Each structure stands twice: as C-alpha cells, then as structure tokens.
Amino acid sequence: LAFPAPLNKYIDNATDQDKILIDLGKDQHVVCVRSKVYLNNGKQFQFTESRHKLEKFKFVDYAKRHH
C-alpha cells in the first residue's frame, strides 16, 4: 500500500521552461502543485510536480472516508 502526503500548493515565478510550454502571455507566475506518495515502510514511492496558469487553476479537494 502507498499513502499520499498532503499536497503542497503555491505561487511560483515562471521558469524559462514554463514560458515555452505554457501560454502565459504577460503573466510571470504559475501555480505549482507538488505531491509525494510513501510506501508502508516509509520510503518515498512517487513525486509529482505540476505547473498551471494562474487564471486556469482551480483546486478541488475530495476525500472519501470508509467507515
């Protein structure tokens, strides 16, 4: 089994690569979302970073609980 850590979301300065890959127009910032997933033994299994246009970003958190 793997367990996700809380997401890290923040505004970041756009990198040169962001400016090439994302149509930022005059924007100089992007939203950066990072996440890590750990195995039962505590070893990190996955790291994900995604970068988004400020005007297009909307974060919706969904949690499903089992009783």
Side-chain angles (χ1 to χ4, degrees):
L1 283 182
F3 297 95
L7 292 176
N8 184 5
K9 305 172 288 292
Y10 59 94
I11 305 293
D12 196 10
N13 292 322
T15 65
D16 290 338
Q17 187 174 21
D18 292 331
K19 294 172 185 175
I20 292 168
L21 298 174
I22 305 172
D23 181 19
L24 294 176
K26 294 181 180 181
D27 287 339
Q28 296 296 312
H29 297 88
V30 294
V31 176
C32 182
V33 180
R34 292 181 176 175
S35 66
K36 295 178 183 178
V37 178
Y38 296 89
L39 298 174
N40 283 343
N41 63 8
K43 289 186 178 182
Q44 185 177 327
F45 168 72
Q46 178 179 323
F47 172 80
T48 303
E49 178 178 314
S50 59
R51 299 172 75 79
H52 309 269
K53 291 177 77 165
L54 294 173
E55 65 188 43
K56 301 286 185 180
F57 182 78
K58 178 180 179 182
F59 184 78
V60 177
D61 198 7
Y62 175 78
K64 184 174 182 179
R65 309 231 189 277
H66 298 278
H67 296 276

